Amino acid sequence: DPIKRKFFNTQQIMIENYIEDNHYNGDTEEWELGGDFNYNVKELGSFKVIFIASQTQTDNTDLVNQKSNQDDDGYLPINAAGYYATAEEQAVRSNLDKTINEQHSIEAGFEFAFNTLDGNVNFTSFADIAANNNELSTEASQIKEDRYQTFFNHNFIISSTLNLQTSLVWEWSEVDLVTNYSNQFADELPITSNLALNRRFNYFKPRINLRYDLSIDEQLRFNIEKTVSQLDLT
């Protein structure tokens, strides 16, 4: 439904009242495909692979119309904004579980993910509709992230009520960004600029978790961990 707002200009002797009529359309489509594979490698332990692929398409438009209470000619468009993006992700995680004895078990593996975002943002200012002197700003960006992670986990059953888990995780990634910007007023030649960036990240993320069972229903947990949030490409 349209969103209507009123604006009052009280800085002048002649008070003008403006009514804004906003029309917002948002559409998002997404799909996801995933699966896993398990295999027992005899003396080495249990081998598992998980994979996932997904895509999200976003199409948002926002049109702002405005008129004065003193004007009976109806609404005129003031500005319009649009956001269009396609995000994709492919990720694979594999690990090998091995039970050494009744007290010790280990897990080792790796994970890699490839994320891309192709986005376009535009803003139109209707400066003079009669003369068709619109100002259009457009920013198109392509972002690519390649992320890798390797991990090693050790589980130590100290007693029937005390359990210790330790983890070593190393993550590294590379991000490429290409942005093309354009600004055009009326029939003038557009003003353009380009930006290209490349960044690399390395993180070491240890973790220690200690659990103690006070009873069947009560448990104490002590956890210390270094975490790193994933990038939100949008």
Side-chain angles (χ1 to χ4, degrees):
D1 297 330
I3 300 174
K4 295 186 177 181
R5 295 183 293 183
K6 292 184 178 181
F7 296 85
F8 303 96
N9 183 0
T10 60
Q11 303 300 317
Q12 302 177 9
I13 297 177
M14 294 296 293
I15 299 178
E16 295 179 301
N17 300 336
Y18 291 94
I19 300 177
E20 209 175 80
D21 184 20
N22 294 5
H23 292 267
Y24 175 81
N25 296 314
D27 184 24
T28 299
E29 296 182 359
E30 56 184 328
W31 62 264
E32 182 177 283
L33 174 67
D36 63 85
F37 170 78
N38 294 272
Y39 183 73
N40 188 13
V41 197
K42 297 182 180 180
E43 293 84 4
L44 293 179
S46 176
F47 178 70
K48 184 176 183 180
V49 177
I50 303 174
F51 69 89
I52 185 172
S54 65
Q55 183 185 84
T56 302
Q57 293 182 326
T58 304
D59 185 348
N60 295 334
T61 57
D62 191 1
L63 175 63
V64 177
N65 300 284
Q66 194 179 86
K67 77 172 182 177
S68 170
N69 281 344
Q70 303 170 1
D71 187 1
D72 296 329
D73 293 338
Y75 289 93
L76 293 177
I78 301 301
N79 57 64
Y83 173 69
Y84 316 93
T86 300
E88 296 181 350
E89 178 183 15
Q90 297 86 36
V92 175
R93 178 185 177 93
S94 67
N95 64 285
L96 183 66
D97 292 326
K98 170 67 175 179
T99 299
I100 300 175
N101 53 41
E102 295 181 355
Q103 286 186 297
H104 298 276
S105 61
I106 58 175
E107 177 192 23
F110 68 89
E111 176 183 332
F112 58 86
F114 305 112
N115 300 300
T116 59
L117 175 67
D118 190 352
N120 185 293
V121 179
N122 59 63
F123 181 81
T124 303
S125 176
F126 302 97
D128 190 342
I129 298 177
N132 195 28
N133 289 339
N134 302 334
E135 183 177 5
L136 173 62
S137 299
T138 303
E139 181 178 303
S141 297
Q142 294 82 39
I143 308 175
K144 180 183 178 182
E145 179 197 28
D146 297 338
R147 187 176 70 251
Y148 308 89
Q149 177 178 276
T150 181
F151 55 90
F152 178 83
N153 303 320
H154 174 243
N155 188 69
F156 179 25
I157 302 176
I158 302 175
S159 68
S160 60
T161 57
L162 189 62
N163 189 89
L164 175 66
Q165 288 184 337
T166 55
S167 301
L168 299 177
V169 181
W170 182 38
E171 177 182 307
W172 67 99
S173 61
E174 183 174 2
V175 179
D176 291 307
L177 165 66
V178 177
T179 298
N180 299 308
Y181 176 78
S182 173
N183 181 269
Q184 182 176 14
F185 180 76
D187 295 329
E188 299 177 0
L189 292 176
I191 300 174
T192 62
S193 64
N194 303 293
L195 174 68
L197 294 175
N198 174 272
R199 295 192 64 184
R200 296 183 179 183
F201 303 90
N202 282 277
Y203 299 107
F204 179 63
K205 302 184 294 184
R207 175 177 180 266
I208 299 176
N209 179 267
L210 183 66
R211 301 194 305 270
Y212 178 68
D213 296 327
L214 295 172
S215 64
I216 298 178
D217 301 320
E218 296 176 311
Q219 184 181 76
L220 291 178
R221 294 190 180 188
F222 173 79
N223 188 74
I224 181 171
E225 179 180 12
K226 178 183 179 182
T227 62
V228 178
S229 300
Q230 299 301 325
L231 291 175
D232 184 358
L233 299 187
T234 59

